[in-house]
Amino acid sequence: HCSVKSCGTLDFLPIKCSYCQLIYCKEHHTPYTHKCDKVPEKQIKSDVEYKSSLPCHICQIVDIVNVVCEECTCVCCMSHRTLEQHNCKTLPSNQPPTKPPTLPPPSSGKGDS
């Protein structure tokens, strides 16, 4: 079972962390995803470098090079790297509709004062 308490997934191909020696599922096997506290300080990478080793949030594939969207910061494989391919939340089509301006009621034209 995955060592992340909130997960506990029974994985038939578990992965052992080389730092803490605990067993993890494919979703939590990287030191970043299970917040490994045994990684030596000098080996801690930037958030983007760690995120690039996470699975794509669309297809769950861990590619050799996953990318982090600069707009929404989600992790994507090469197939889903463009804004349209991963349906980026920053696309205009994903924004809430804007409310049309409220117009004043029409005047009767009979000297409204």
Side-chain angles (χ1 to χ4, degrees):
H1 291 277
C2 180
S3 296
V4 173
K5 290 179 182 170
S6 62
C7 178
T9 300
L10 177 59
D11 198 325
F12 294 102
L13 294 172
I15 302 165
K16 182 189 267 188
C17 175
S18 58
Y19 298 106
C20 65
Q21 304 302 311
L22 295 175
I23 302 296
Y24 296 96
C25 66
K26 67 178 181 178
E27 186 177 332
H28 297 112
H29 76 280
T30 65
Y32 178 77
T33 55
H34 69 263
K35 299 178 175 80
C36 188
D37 58 0
K38 303 291 184 191
V39 178
E41 192 68 36
K42 65 182 180 179
Q43 291 184 350
I44 293 177
K45 298 177 182 177
S46 74
D47 192 41
V48 170
E49 288 173 319
Y50 272 125
K51 278 190 169 186
S52 66
S53 67
L54 298 177
C56 171
H57 87 284
I58 300 287
C59 64
Q60 301 305 308
I61 289 176
V62 179
D63 230 338
I64 291 175
V65 179
N66 277 357
V67 295
V68 179
C69 175
E70 291 180 7
E71 301 296 323
C72 69
T73 69
C74 73
V75 177
C76 301
C77 66
M78 295 306 287
S79 298
H80 295 112
R81 70 187 180 276
T82 67
L83 301 178
E84 292 79 13
Q85 289 168 327
H86 71 267
N87 200 21
C88 187
K89 64 184 178 185
T90 63
L91 287 173
S93 60
N94 291 334
Q95 299 299 313
T98 56
K99 195 174 181 181
T102 306
L103 300 174
S107 64
S108 62
K110 296 184 179 180
D112 292 335
S113 311

